[in-house]
Amino acid sequence: MKKRGILNSEIATVLSKMGHTDMIVIADCGLPIPDEVKRIDLALEQGLPSFLKTLDVILEDIVVEKVTLAHEIKDQNPTLDLEVKKRFDQQKLNYLSHEELKELTKRAKAVIRTGEATPYANIVLHAGVIF
């Protein structure tokens, strides 16, 4: 058994295969996930696991070059937007419309579906490199 790190085998596998600029999405329980993209469903019930807890665990395991969020989070979920901003340098933040973000998910290696039930709690993480 693994001693530490991500225990979910699907997430660990996807992260280990990611290269520079590859994308992974952490989503709320309502984001439509394209059929052609790997779905890793963690949702247990509304709110569990939370978006932020899932994000924090993923961030312990990968290098992130930039992130993409929906513009709508600024007005519809400003508390979450602030929490995300605390975790990244401002130059790493990129905002698109929610419709554009949904299109971007089609190119992701996987979408991790959380139990989060607050508006626009979706993020695209673009992988960086360790050197």
Side-chain angles (χ1 to χ4, degrees), residues 27-39:
D28 59 33
C29 61
L31 186 73
I33 300 171
D35 290 336
E36 63 273 13
V37 177
K38 181 172 186 63
R39 174 193 300 250

Side-chain angles (χ1 to χ4, degrees), residues 4-71:
R4 64 175 156 233
I6 294 175
L7 297 178
N8 182 289
S9 61
E10 290 181 282
I11 295 173
T13 298
V14 169
L15 295 180
S16 70
K17 292 180 179 180
M18 289 181 69
H20 186 220
T21 74
D22 282 344
M23 296 177 287
I24 190 165
V25 177
I26 301 172
D28 59 33
C29 61
L31 186 73
I33 300 171
D35 290 336
E36 63 273 13
V37 177
K38 181 172 186 63
R39 174 193 300 250
I40 303 173
D41 198 338
L42 301 180
L44 296 173
E45 65 179 31
Q46 215 173 62
L48 291 176
S50 72
F51 172 85
L52 286 174
K53 179 61 178 173
T54 305
L55 176 61
D56 288 342
V57 170
I58 299 297
L59 291 178
E60 290 176 12
D61 213 37
I62 64 169
V63 176
V64 175
E65 183 171 276
K66 73 174 186 175
V67 301
T68 302
L69 302 155
H71 279 293

Side-chain angles (χ1 to χ4, degrees), residues 1-5 7:
M1 181 170 188
K2 279 185 74 167
K3 189 173 180 179
R4 64 175 156 233
L7 297 178

